Amino acid sequence: MTTPVCTGASRAASATAAGHPHTPYASFSSYVRARGPVLLRTARALTANPCDAEDLLQTALAKTYVAWERIEDHRALDGYVRRALLNTRTSQWRKRKVDEFACEELPEREAFPAPDPAEQQSLHDAMWRAVLKLPDRQRAMVVLRYYEDLSEAQTAEVLGVSIGTVKSAVSRALGKLREDPELTPVR
């Protein structure tokens, strides 16, 4: 013979078997079957993980089950369960373990200072002046390749030249840009 773990549940099961279908536990089961999907959506809105949402709903329903006989207005059950969901989630959040420890030395690296906008604009202007010094054909290829972000094949198609011509002209243009004295501080 087995000993029932939950005497209330075993009494409800025996009452249902004896022909008393209106026990509080039967009404709880029918409520969960009817409103379960809606309550699960609410739980999923409170958590990021669907499995956590199912666990949260189960915990809230267990709390509701324990208080089932004390709930006077069964029209407000959704509100009661939602409040149980929210309270349970808040309790879980508060119990969350925080892995921060105080120490003498900060583990964060020093952040690099944000670049000065005036320096960035100065560099942009110097680069554009250097590009304007290039011969027309090389300038067109550099602009299409690096400013318009076209591939070598697309650049060749736009200019009506071969891919090899684009590669060699862009290589020569980049060499000239590397040697430009106005861009020396950048390197």
Side-chain angles (χ1 to χ4, degrees), residues 10-187:
S10 64
R11 270 189 262 125
S14 61
T16 303
H20 304 291
H22 296 293
T23 64
Y25 305 106
S27 62
F28 176 78
S29 296
S30 64
Y31 170 76
V32 171
R33 276 193 297 279
R35 301 299 294 162
V38 173
L39 297 171
L40 182 59
R41 280 195 300 272
T42 303
R44 289 193 71 177
L46 294 172
T47 62
N49 184 348
C51 295
D52 290 341
E54 291 174 1
D55 291 344
L56 176 63
L57 179 58
Q58 286 297 321
T59 304
L61 288 175
K63 290 178 181 181
T64 305
Y65 179 81
V66 169
W68 190 255
E69 292 177 343
R70 291 189 319 251
I71 300 172
E72 293 176 11
D73 185 9
H74 281 249
R75 292 174 295 175
L77 283 173
D78 282 355
Y80 184 91
V81 176
R82 282 191 198 103
R83 175 52 61 187
L85 284 167
L86 189 58
N87 290 345
T88 303
R89 181 65 183 141
T90 303
S91 296
Q92 291 171 347
W93 176 77
R94 286 182 179 152
K95 291 177 186 176
R96 189 181 71 216
K97 183 180 175 185
V98 178
D99 291 331
E100 291 184 21
F101 303 100
C103 61
E104 292 179 25
E105 198 174 310
L106 291 177
E108 294 88 14
R109 293 184 221 161
E110 291 183 28
F112 294 105
D116 182 17
E119 286 182 26
Q120 286 182 321
Q121 186 61 44
S122 173
L123 175 61
H124 181 268
D125 292 344
M127 187 66 189
W128 189 245
R129 282 190 302 274
V131 168
L132 289 175
K133 293 178 194 174
L134 295 172
D136 292 341
R137 190 171 176 176
Q138 287 180 355
R139 183 175 356 139
M141 291 183 191
V142 167
V143 167
L144 290 173
R145 280 287 290 130
Y146 298 106
Y147 283 89
E148 296 295 323
D149 201 27
L150 296 181
S151 68
E152 292 169 342
Q154 291 169 326
T155 302
E157 184 180 328
V158 168
L159 296 176
V161 296
S162 70
I163 295 174
T165 303
V166 172
K167 288 180 180 182
S168 63
V170 168
S171 176
R172 283 193 300 277
L174 292 177
K176 288 180 183 179
L177 291 174
R178 284 187 198 101
E179 295 171 2
D180 191 298
E182 216 177 322
L183 298 176
T184 303
V186 175
R187 286 183 246 145

